[in-house]
Amino acid sequence: MEPNTCMAAQVPSKPLILSVRSGAAISMPGMMDTILNLGLNDEVVAGLAAKNGRRFVYDSYRRCLDMFGDVVMGIPRSSFEEKLEKLKDALGGYTRLLSLFRTHLVGNTQ
């Protein structure tokens, strides 16, 4: 994909970011899981935020962590949403919010 898109995985200045959907061409309704923005990491997010604005990029990263936690690790999305609602009022910023989401994700891997 990299040669065809002129983008590259893990390169902040030209990141290759994917949306991944599981399932077969024919599957049962409701059985398709999706992870958006796969390829984002701290370095890529910093590079994109400098070019495209922090709010959009950090929200995209938050959604990626949320979906990865749900689809890959089985962490209920409701647990991320609860944290988001509490932090929206308390913090007012996505940088700290993302840090807490990453901590929540990593804490569920041990």
Side-chain angles (χ1 to χ4, degrees):
M1 292 181 89
E2 290 177 350
N4 294 331
T5 63
C6 297
M7 303 297 205
Q10 310 299 314
V11 177
S13 62
K14 54 179 184 173
L16 179 63
I17 300 169
L18 305 171
S19 295
V20 181
R21 177 166 283 180
S22 65
I26 300 173
S27 65
M28 296 175 58
M31 296 302 289
M32 298 282 278
D33 288 321
T34 302
I35 301 174
L36 300 176
N37 309 315
L38 198 61
L40 291 177
N41 62 31
D42 292 346
E43 294 79 23
V44 168
V45 166
L48 284 173
K51 290 182 177 181
N52 300 303
R54 293 171 51 94
R55 184 178 177 121
F56 168 74
V57 175
Y58 280 105
D59 191 52
S60 296
Y61 195 21
R62 178 195 62 83
R63 291 172 190 269
C64 178
L65 293 173
D66 183 330
M67 291 179 185
F68 186 87
D70 177 45
V71 173
V72 176
M73 302 181 69
I75 301 169
R77 292 187 84 173
S78 60
S79 69
F80 286 103
E81 292 302 318
E82 288 169 14
K83 291 183 182 324
L84 178 60
E85 289 303 317
K86 289 178 185 175
L87 291 170
K88 271 188 202 177
D89 296 332
L91 297 176
Y94 280 102
T95 303
R96 178 75 177 126
L97 178 66
L98 238 41
S99 174
L100 293 170
F101 266 57
R102 280 192 305 271
T103 301
H104 181 60
L105 185 73
V106 171
N108 278 280
T109 63
Q110 300 171 355

